[in-house]
Amino acid sequence: MKQFRFTLEALQRLRQRQEKHALQQYGEAVAEHQEAVRRLEEVNADCEASWALFREHLMDNAPMAYVAQLQGYCSWLEECKRVSARTVEQAQRVCKQRWFKLLLARQAREAVDKLLVRQRERYDRELMREEQMQLDEMANRRFLTPALCNMNDELLRN
């Protein structure tokens, strides 16, 4: 019997590459999301520290020019915080989208893998059937050969 050959091997390789690519993209999206969260936390910490410094200098009767400059810096940090929060939300959306694409790619690959299993099972069943036929044929020859020899001997004697 011929050696087993999966008829959809090219499709299987394609699906595996697609899944690998989707996994890489998802990994990149997760890394970008983590970086965006880190930056947001950093801006939050800077913002809180700046507002605390502003309140402290306001109470200490610091020069108004300095307090105004500090307030402007705090306002700028608040805007940076809003931008960073939007970046985190966008990165989260991208993560979800890429996760969905990864799931689809995985399902497509698994569907082809199931076909491979079915084809392999069908091949194995056919192989076992052929082997059983050969064993049956060998057994029949073994039992029939002595009987035929005995018949030939009797015919020759007569």
Side-chain angles (χ1 to χ4, degrees):
M1 183 168 195
K2 293 181 187 176
Q3 197 171 12
F4 176 75
R5 185 176 168 280
F6 183 42
T7 57
L8 299 174
E9 189 175 339
L11 180 62
Q12 183 183 35
R13 282 194 308 268
L14 174 66
R15 296 291 190 241
Q16 288 170 342
R17 276 195 308 268
Q18 288 172 337
E19 181 184 15
K20 183 179 177 182
H21 180 70
L23 182 61
Q24 287 172 338
Q25 284 188 323
Y26 176 68
E28 291 169 3
V30 167
E32 288 172 11
H33 178 261
Q34 289 172 340
E35 178 62 22
V37 167
R38 186 197 63 76
R39 276 181 280 160
L40 177 60
E41 290 170 351
E42 194 176 273
V43 169
N44 272 334
D46 286 349
C47 195
E48 288 176 20
S50 296
W51 280 117
L53 187 61
F54 170 77
R55 285 188 297 274
E56 181 184 318
H57 284 295
L58 195 58
M59 297 298 205
D60 289 345
N61 293 324
M64 269 326 234
Y66 178 71
V67 171
Q69 185 181 15
L70 197 51
Q71 184 182 17
Y73 178 66
C74 289
S75 296
W76 178 76
L77 283 175
E78 288 289 339
E79 180 58 30
C80 288
K81 195 163 91 170
R82 283 190 286 278
V83 169
S84 290
R86 283 193 300 269
T87 302
V88 167
E89 290 171 5
Q90 176 62 27
Q92 211 166 19
R93 279 192 295 278
V94 170
C95 275
K96 286 179 183 178
Q97 290 169 350
R98 292 194 178 166
W99 174 251
F100 184 68
K101 286 181 181 180
L102 174 60
L103 289 178
L104 290 177
R106 186 166 288 157
Q107 288 172 350
R109 190 234 346 125
E110 287 173 350
V112 174
D113 288 349
K114 285 179 185 178
L115 290 172
L116 167 65
V117 168
R118 282 193 223 125
Q119 271 191 15
R120 183 64 198 208
E121 287 172 348
R122 192 170 35 248
Y123 171 83
D124 289 343
R125 278 193 308 273
E126 182 65 24
L127 182 65
M128 288 180 70
R129 189 180 68 72
E130 284 188 21
E131 286 176 356
Q132 188 60 49
M133 285 174 54
Q134 289 175 355
L135 288 172
D136 291 347
E137 187 177 315
M138 287 172 46
N140 286 338
R141 280 187 203 160
R142 183 173 168 210
F143 290 114
L144 288 178
T145 302
L148 288 176
C149 287
N150 289 339
M151 286 176 60
N152 275 344
D153 287 344
E154 281 185 33
L155 287 175
L156 291 176
R157 280 187 224 155
N158 289 337

